[in-house]
Amino acid sequence: MIKYLDLKRINAPYEHAADEVLCSGWYLRGETTRHFEQHYAEYIGTKHCIGCANGLDALTLILRAYKELGIIHEGDEVIVPANTYIASILAVTENRLTPVLVEPDINTLQIDDTLIEQAITLRTRAIMIVHLYGRCAYTDRIGEICQRHGMKLIEDNAQAHGCMFATQLHTGALGDAAGHSFYPTKNLGAFGDAGAVTTDDDELAEVVRALGNYGSAEKYIFERIGRNSRIDELQAAILDAKLAHLDADNARRKAIATTYINQVKNPLIRLPRPSDGRDSVWHIFPVLCSRRDELQQYLRDHGVETQIHYPIPPHKQKCYADWNSLSLPITEQIHAQELSIPCHPAMTLKEASIVADLLNLFQ
């Protein structure tokens, strides 16, 4: 069996970090968290990293902080990609802001930057790009649009730890602020839920940190109505240990992806296009197939695990019933055809070749 993701093998070398925290007797808001925040900020290339409970909280806290600072107001609009995991949109609606969905480019599966300006109104205050599947969603055009219209650029970097733009800047340092998820399946994954916000904005960082600590910047003094959203010492220790190996792990993912791109030649299966110059760390290797369910069963029958990211797009979910009648054909095509095949650092290139051969034999 070729597993979709073998977390047991991936995490085994880092169990010592958990043991050290358990033996320390200090489990929250300690030196371990401060060390990880410092190291991750340095890695991403930002002044600040604020640990929080999960990736959704990271995005929610960014938008809430902008509201606290008077930069964004209830009812304002945030442009988001229609093709994304629902957390990107939940952060917007939880803040009583209005998401404006923009279709992706079918070639990159990322937000189509040629469609953004027509979605801008007098109420648009921010664009949230999502580096979905581990691929950089940022373009120079997006940066220029934000600058020209005076809008904030927020990155959902939940799936793209270590991804680069123009070989110099990491995703998570391209916009005004970024939310990161360290869910166990991520390229940089904890042993449970964890997240972070990165930014160069001193004032935003201060407000985000206070909001995630019940609204308190000083113990027992509450200047804002906050929430409890903090990373714990256990997760911080594991993430700090893993961070040193992130680039090597991503290099293995890229080698596996290259094997697929070079070897799979089945016209029934559409592979991600690597030619647009945007980096990917291949958190997910998505293929598109009009007979997706048959392909998944075929691979399962031959001992290969796969997953679907994601079977129902956000605008067709019951929780957003007002959007259910929207027609977003490219997003709907992706969600109907996408199949994620194994691509992780515990996988061998031989296993990748086996999967490629099976994909070529599908008919």
Side-chain angles (χ1 to χ4, degrees):
M1 171 66 71
I2 298 177
K3 292 186 175 183
Y4 176 73
L5 183 65
D6 194 340
L7 282 180
K8 186 174 181 179
R9 284 173 62 191
I10 290 171
N11 286 334
Y14 305 103
E15 292 175 355
H16 68 90
D19 292 338
E20 289 171 7
V21 172
L22 291 174
C23 292
S24 74
W26 195 288
Y27 307 127
L28 194 66
R29 303 189 73 196
E31 286 298 316
T32 302
T33 293
R34 282 188 282 275
H35 288 157
F36 170 67
E37 289 178 338
Q38 177 185 346
H39 296 157
Y40 193 62
E42 291 171 353
Y43 177 85
I44 293 294
T46 56
K47 289 173 65 177
H48 304 283
C49 170
I50 305 98
C52 59
N54 53 67
L56 172 56
D57 276 7
L59 296 173
T60 303
L61 288 167
I62 290 168
L63 291 168
R64 171 69 187 285
Y66 279 134
K67 289 177 67 179
E68 290 281 320
L69 293 168
I71 295 170
I72 295 178
H73 300 88
E74 191 168 311
D76 283 346
E77 296 174 352
V78 179
I79 291 174
V80 291
N83 178 42
T84 186
Y85 183 57
I86 200 168
S88 311
I89 297 169
L90 288 172
V92 178
T93 57
E94 184 171 330
N95 278 287
R96 297 186 179 181
L97 303 171
T98 302
V100 177
L101 306 181
V102 172
E103 284 267 63
D105 181 334
I106 190 62
N107 294 314
T108 66
L109 309 184
Q110 308 298 321
I111 192 168
D112 188 336
D113 62 6
T114 68
L115 302 178
I116 289 174
E117 283 208 90
Q118 67 192 53
I120 296 173
T121 75
L122 294 175
R123 299 295 296 176
T124 309
R125 297 291 178 269
I127 298 174
M128 182 185 292
I129 57 172
V130 182
H131 304 297
L132 200 66
Y133 314 121
R135 187 172 192 164
C136 180
Y138 181 82
T139 65
D140 287 327
R141 172 181 273 177
I142 291 173
E144 188 273 330
I145 289 171
C146 288
Q147 186 174 32
R148 181 154 39 89
H149 291 272
M151 298 184 302
K152 294 297 182 183
L153 177 59
I154 301 167
E155 299 174 75
D156 181 339
N157 199 50
Q159 299 186 0
H161 316 101
C163 188
M164 302 291 291
F165 175 74
T167 71
Q168 295 178 337
L169 297 171
H170 278 108
T171 56
L174 303 174
D176 296 286
H180 306 252
S181 168
F182 304 119
Y183 187 76
T185 60
K186 306 299 187 184
N187 291 38
L188 183 62
F191 282 11
D193 267 323
V197 172
T198 55
T199 184
D200 282 332
D201 186 328
D202 297 340
E203 192 173 23
L204 181 74
E206 181 181 353
V207 176
V208 166
R209 190 176 293 279
L211 288 173
N213 187 41
Y214 300 98
S216 172
E218 185 178 348
K219 194 170 184 179
Y220 299 136
I221 297 175
F222 303 92
E223 295 182 354
R224 306 178 190 275
I225 298 174
R227 63 199 299 173
N228 179 11
S229 181
R230 302 174 300 198
I231 193 171
D232 64 63
E233 293 284 280
L234 179 67
Q235 308 310 333
I238 292 157
L239 292 168
D240 206 31
K242 284 188 171 186
L243 183 58
H245 303 276
L246 177 59
D247 288 344
D249 287 347
N250 285 341
R252 169 50 65 93
R253 289 177 182 267
K254 290 181 179 183
I256 292 165
T258 298
T259 299
Y260 290 147
I261 291 166
N262 289 341
Q263 295 186 15
V264 177
K265 306 297 181 184
N266 190 332
L268 297 175
I269 299 169
R270 183 172 186 150
L271 299 178
R273 292 190 183 181
S275 59
D276 73 333
R278 284 192 266 182
D279 187 28
S280 178
V281 290
W282 302 106
H283 170 61
I284 292 168
F285 191 96
V287 302
L288 301 183
C289 180
S290 61
R291 292 159 51 203
R292 189 260 311 281
D293 294 346
E294 291 179 55
L295 177 60
Q296 184 175 43
Q297 184 61 53
Y298 161 80
L299 291 172
R300 184 184 299 120
D301 291 343
H302 288 81
V304 177
E305 289 184 345
T306 61
Q307 291 191 13
I308 295 171
H309 295 91
Y310 304 92
I312 304 173
H315 72 283
K316 294 297 184 182
Q317 297 286 354
K318 187 176 180 180
C319 65
Y320 290 123
D322 290 347
W323 295 346
N324 288 174
S325 61
L326 288 178
S327 175
L328 296 166
I330 298 176
T331 295
E332 290 159 21
Q333 176 188 346
I334 293 169
H335 286 251
Q337 297 184 359
E338 193 277 342
L339 185 67
S340 305
I341 60 176
C343 185
H344 59 82
M347 189 177 180
T348 67
L349 295 182
K350 181 178 180 180
E351 288 173 325
S353 290
I354 291 171
V355 175
D357 289 343
L358 286 170
L359 291 172
N360 284 328
L361 292 171
F362 178 74
Q363 58 185 0

